[in-house]
Amino acid sequence: MQFIDLNAQLTRIRPQVDQAIARVLNHGKFISGPEVSELEKKLAEFTGVKHCISCANGTDALSLSLAALNLGPGDVIFTTAFSFFATAEVVPATGASVFFVDIDPLTYNLCPASLERAIKQVEAEAKLTPKAVIAVDLFGLPANYPVISQLCQTYQLRLIEDAAQGFGGAIGQQRSGGFGDIATTSFFPAKPLGCLGDGGAIFTNDDALAEVCRSLRIHGQGTDKYDNVRIGQNSRLDTIQAAILLEKLAIFEDELVSRQRVAQRYLMRLNDVVTCPIVPDGYYSAWAQFTIRVPASRRQEIMQMLSVQDIPSMVYYAKPLHLQTALLGSLQVDCTEAEIASESVLSLPMHPYLTDNEIDGICQAVIQTVAKSGQQV
Ligand SMILES: *Cc1c(COP(=O)(O)O)cnc(C)c1O
């Protein structure tokens, strides 16, 4: 069994993808071809956000956003201690300081109370200036934006939504990509909306920010190709990847429904047996992952027992960001919940093409594994 079965999806749309690639080979506009702007328009429509600026990957989407917001030395950027490394990796390069905040143990997302403690700590020390927050839609679930945006308003912070995992999720009518001043996503193959290589995008309703991002992704371009008005990067989405993404976007709504089906079935079978993910009222998860909790002392053994039955499982993330070697010594408040989560989380296979039978088999194995170890998880 595959943890994420990308082949099942590709098989479904293989003729469309082949034709899309062939169209690009025929017109030959490999950089900034017509598919790129068509995709940006469709992604903006999908998220309900005014501007979509595609770029080379989700990490660049974050660093371009920080550059567009003019963040740099003396500034503090707050973020969750529990995410993929890229979320925090982009901060030191700007010269700004990263400040790690704890998570809400129920949603795994940034804890607003911990964020406020962190902001107050920086204000009290009066050496650095609190400037921005990067909130992450971990495992597909949007962060607590109603409260986080309020805090950002109170303390005059810019809000960046890292929706690399959350694309397709929503709070009420607003889809991920539409929270904060600017949002980023990734089209890495394993993300909810993935291409067949690297890709990423930025979303914003702010005309000025959008214009700066468009310039930054192409060497700080000014009025024409050889006019450079700022130091930028080379970070474009390949036309071939845009063409592939257009075909994947066409089935994305249907895949989200299927992810929801898979999650509901997991919940129905496992909710009484193990600690399952929680989706607050009014929230919709893109179900990038289905992550349960198991006792830290037995996680390895449980993974092993599942693996013997051909059921892959993964740990996202075994080490919280404030304990990563490259980030040791960063600013932080107490991040105990992130540390506990990193020791107890276990992600089960999750993709839109899991059959009910396969899900039942996985659940059966999880339940047996828990029973065998003679202890309620
Ligand atoms: C995958 C991911 C990124 C980085 O995306 P890439 O396209 O791989 O650069 C950033 N943040 C989070 C939360 C991610 O999961």
Side-chain angles (χ1 to χ4, degrees), residues 7-166:
N7 234 6
Q9 181 202 50
L10 191 53
T11 304
R12 171 178 175 185
I13 52 166
R14 185 62 191 258
Q16 292 93 310
V17 168
D18 282 341
Q19 283 160 28
I21 294 172
R23 278 196 297 275
V24 178
L25 297 188
N26 287 336
H27 72 50
K29 297 190 182 89
F30 301 114
I31 302 290
S32 309
E35 286 83 356
V36 176
S37 36
E38 186 186 345
L39 176 72
E40 289 177 340
K41 190 164 155 275
K42 290 209 164 129
L43 289 173
E45 273 165 23
F46 180 87
T47 50
V49 177
K50 194 167 170 195
H51 303 281
C52 169
I53 303 102
S54 62
C55 62
N57 56 67
T59 308
D60 280 4
L62 283 166
S63 56
L64 290 164
S65 299
L66 299 188
L69 290 168
N70 250 320
L71 298 165
D75 298 339
V76 175
I77 304 178
F78 302 90
T79 194
T80 168
F82 196 51
S83 180
F84 179 59
F85 188 65
T87 304
E89 180 185 20
V90 294
V91 176
T94 67
S97 306
V98 63
F99 194 126
F100 291 113
V101 170
D102 208 2
I103 55 163
D104 173 339
L106 296 179
T107 62
Y108 303 110
N109 280 332
L110 192 144
C111 166
S114 177
L115 172 62
E116 189 161 28
R117 273 196 295 281
I119 299 167
K120 285 184 168 158
Q121 186 175 311
V122 175
E123 285 192 339
E125 280 171 11
K127 278 190 237 139
L128 300 167
T129 318
K131 272 288 177 66
V133 176
I134 305 175
V136 178
D137 304 339
L138 203 75
F139 303 149
L141 181 72
N144 187 347
Y145 292 108
V147 177
I148 294 170
S149 329
Q150 194 59 51
L151 282 174
C152 286
Q153 223 165 335
T154 305
Y155 293 97
Q156 305 210 333
L157 306 176
R158 308 306 293 264
L159 177 55
I160 300 135
E161 175 192 9
D162 179 351
Q165 300 178 20

Side-chain angles (χ1 to χ4, degrees), residues 139-360:
F139 303 149
L141 181 72
N144 187 347
Y145 292 108
V147 177
I148 294 170
S149 329
Q150 194 59 51
L151 282 174
C152 286
Q153 223 165 335
T154 305
Y155 293 97
Q156 305 210 333
L157 306 176
R158 308 306 293 264
L159 177 55
I160 300 135
E161 175 192 9
D162 179 351
Q165 300 178 20
F167 198 78
I171 305 176
Q173 295 302 306
Q174 179 56 61
R175 277 192 150 141
S176 287
F179 301 108
D181 297 287
I182 197 161
T184 64
T185 198
S186 162
F187 303 124
F188 181 83
K191 309 285 176 171
L193 179 64
C195 56
L196 298 177
D198 275 313
I202 299 166
F203 296 87
T204 183
N205 285 311
D206 183 320
D207 297 345
L209 273 182
E211 196 188 317
V212 176
C213 288
R214 283 202 183 92
S215 160
L216 282 171
R217 75 169 161 180
I218 174 163
H219 306 293
Q221 185 176 289
T223 49
D224 70 62
K225 205 168 170 180
Y226 298 105
D227 176 35
N228 305 87
V229 296
R230 50 177 71 81
I231 301 297
Q233 305 179 32
N234 175 11
S235 183
R236 290 169 299 219
L237 180 68
D238 288 346
T239 307
I240 285 185
Q241 296 302 341
I244 293 164
L245 277 166
L246 282 166
E247 299 306 328
K248 295 224 188 183
L249 186 60
I251 58 164
F252 188 53
E253 295 270 13
D254 180 61
E255 290 190 332
L256 285 171
V257 171
S258 195
R259 283 178 185 273
Q260 192 65 26
R261 168 189 60 84
V262 174
Q264 288 310 322
R265 198 164 183 97
Y266 268 137
L267 288 169
M268 178 175 78
R269 296 262 185 271
L270 293 179
N271 226 352
D272 296 335
V273 189
V274 294
T275 304
C276 281
I278 282 172
V279 179
D281 273 353
Y283 283 62
Y284 301 88
S285 178
W287 293 110
Q289 304 293 341
F290 190 91
T291 304
I292 61 172
R293 284 209 200 223
V294 299
S297 60
R298 297 211 348 271
R299 185 169 64 184
Q300 207 51 46
E301 169 204 340
I302 290 170
M303 290 181 79
Q304 185 59 36
M305 286 165 90
L306 292 174
S307 152
V308 165
Q309 298 178 67
D310 188 33
I311 297 167
S313 57
M314 304 284 263
V315 173
Y316 301 118
Y317 295 95
K319 203 186 254 192
L321 296 177
H322 64 292
L323 300 180
Q324 289 286 354
T325 308
L327 294 165
L328 287 177
S330 299
L331 301 166
Q332 64 165 103
V333 282
D334 179 84
C335 291
T336 304
E337 293 300 345
E339 289 167 22
I340 296 173
S342 69
E343 288 167 2
S344 58
V345 287
L346 185 65
S347 298
L348 301 177
M350 170 49 92
H351 61 83
Y353 302 96
L354 274 172
T355 66
D356 286 355
N357 266 344
E358 286 173 315
I359 303 162
D360 291 350

